[in-house]
Amino acid sequence: MLTEASGTSFATGGQNKSCESENYHVKLRIKSFNIPELFIKVPENATIGSLKRTVMDVVNSIMEGGLRVGVLLQGKDIQDDNKTLRQAGICHDKKLNNIDFTLQCERERESPSGVIIPEQMDFLTADMVEPLARMKCEEPFPEADVGDDNQQSKAPYRSRSLSDLYSVHCPVEMASQDTSASSQAIIPVSPAPSDIGALAIVPLCKSKRSEIGQRRIRRPFTVGEVEALVGAVEQLGTGRWRAVKTLAFDNIEHRTYVDLKDKWKTLVHTASISPQQRRGQPGPQELLDPCPRSAGLLVPTPPGQAPGQGSSSP
DNA sequence: GTTAGGG
DNA sequence: CCCTAAC
């Protein structure tokens, strides 16, 4: 969504502006890649560490196997590498809101180890591969290419967005002991299917809880998340959890604004209970203290503007 | 759909 | 985290 990443620009011809006034540049902002779905399988008694290694191994094996990028326009894979963007229909003056980039295995790798898919693993593939894959592209610049994305000017705090802090959390939404959710070895399910489109749009099986009622798995907030939360609250103040969510957790699907509100609640709580934190984990106050221009922490910002923002209402 | 709080 | 009353 708000990935401030770069606007990668592609030229339809040469890098230089040739004399041809028609040689416009197409600006694309790649937010995510679609990657092949991965399945892993590891015994329940395996350690988290081994699980991480397994995932890493699979990722590495895929990487080593060679990856190639695929381009999907309107869902159709464009294979002709010699075709120009314009010929392919990727022009600066066209709506390019449906371009996808995919990561495809150059060659199929044999399953790292005996591939044994237990029963049915329910985990969010999306989250697992967050960091190195899953990127969707959007064409935010419908017009000229005046390099200057101020699209995020509204969110100065973005610098601390979790985009950077969020390291592979590998949330494995498992239905506890019920639906059997064990992880085992990972295996790149390289879709043997003839074509590329095969691993195109990764089907993010988000709703694993077909039968509502399943409690979400507990995902302790990481330091990074706490920092992001604190930072966002610093800017927006309390009482605007929706805004906080979009500001600093827009990309973290599993954190709802209610979660953030709850987390803040506990942070404040713990902070007030042990004013003298034990060296180790900074409480919200410590992070807020630096510039408590306001009333320390908890600055309920009533429906209006963020604190500090001279809100003058005519 | 959001907030705010208790559970 | 969940559940909900109260916007």
Side-chain angles (χ1 to χ4, degrees):
Chain A
M1 318 344 184
L2 299 175
T3 309
E4 64 180 311
S6 61
T8 306
S9 59
F10 301 86
T12 54
Q15 291 294 331
N16 307 318
K17 288 185 178 179
S18 51
C19 45
E20 303 191 13
S21 58
E22 292 184 4
N23 195 17
Y24 297 97
H25 288 193
V26 179
K27 276 202 158 189
L28 302 172
R29 179 160 61 183
I30 300 175
K31 297 195 305 183
S32 62
F33 274 104
N34 287 318
I35 65 156
E37 197 165 10
L38 302 176
F39 289 105
I40 65 174
K41 183 178 182 182
V42 298
E44 288 184 344
N45 59 2
T47 64
I48 295 299
S50 68
L51 171 60
K52 290 179 180 177
R53 284 196 296 278
T54 303
V55 174
M56 183 53 77
D57 287 344
V58 173
V59 172
N60 285 333
S61 69
I62 293 176
M63 298 293 274
E64 291 172 10
L67 288 175
R68 55 181 287 267
V69 174
V71 178
L72 296 179
L73 181 59
Q74 306 293 318
K76 292 193 299 183
D77 188 304
I78 300 176
Q79 299 183 53
D80 188 345
D81 292 347
N82 296 316
K83 189 177 294 182
T84 66
L85 297 185
R86 184 176 300 162
Q87 294 176 324
I90 302 175
C91 306
H92 79 292
D93 58 342
K94 290 189 178 180
K95 294 180 180 179
L96 301 175
N97 54 8
N98 203 359
I99 290 183
D100 285 304
F101 288 90
T102 63
L103 291 182
Q104 307 161 352
C105 300
E106 193 61 74
R107 70 186 183 214
E108 297 179 7
R109 297 275 300 184
E110 296 169 35
S111 314
S113 56
V115 178
I116 1 169
I117 298 179
E119 295 133 11
Q120 39 176 314
M121 307 167 285
D122 290 339
F123 56 82
L124 308 182
T125 304
D127 285 335
M128 287 189 66
V129 297
E130 171 81 74
L132 68 105
R134 195 186 145 204
M135 314 184 109
K136 193 135 180 101
C137 171
E138 268 191 6
E139 211 300 292
F141 315 104
E143 301 191 347
D145 59 7
V146 182
D148 224 277
D149 354 316
N150 294 328
Q151 307 225 327
Q152 67 221 44
S153 54
K154 62 170 184 178
Y157 175 67
R158 186 143 301 300
S159 55
R160 285 169 69 185
S161 162
L162 290 187
S163 302
D164 304 309
L165 309 170
Y166 194 53
S167 52
V168 197
H169 279 218
C170 185
V172 180
E173 186 161 283
M174 40 179 72
S176 60
Q177 339 153 333
D178 218 310
T179 8
S180 75
S182 55
S183 359
Q184 300 182 356
I186 284 192
I187 57 174
V189 177
S190 0
S194 51
D195 281 297
I196 37 289
L199 27 89
I201 292 87
V202 178
L204 312 180
C205 23
K206 289 276 181 186
S207 57
K208 259 0 185 157
R209 318 183 326 181
S210 53
E211 292 181 35
I212 51 179
Q214 281 294 359
R215 188 189 179 90
R216 289 186 299 162
I217 61 172
R218 183 167 181 281
R219 290 198 182 86
F221 274 66
T222 64
V223 175
E225 288 180 309
V226 173
E227 290 178 342
L229 174 59
V230 173
V233 173
E234 272 185 293
Q235 286 187 25
L236 303 168
T238 308
R240 301 183 60 196
W241 306 111
R242 172 60 164 175
V244 171
K245 204 284 193 263
T246 56
L247 173 60
F249 292 76
D250 205 27
N251 293 318
I252 289 60
E253 301 86 305
H254 64 278
R255 297 296 187 198
T256 69
Y257 48 78
V258 173
D259 292 330
L260 303 181
K261 181 263 298 178
D262 286 340
K263 181 55 182 176
W264 184 259
K265 182 171 60 179
T266 61
L267 283 176
V268 172
H269 185 202
T270 60
S272 65
I273 283 188
S274 59
Q276 335 164 357
Q277 269 103 57
R278 305 177 180 293
R279 4 176 142 56
Q281 325 232 323
Q285 54 178 312
E286 185 169 313
L287 293 168
L288 285 173
D289 270 335
C291 51
R293 172 187 298 288
S294 45
L297 46 160
L298 286 183
V299 186
T301 306
Q305 297 302 310
Q309 307 290 328
S311 58
S312 58
S313 49

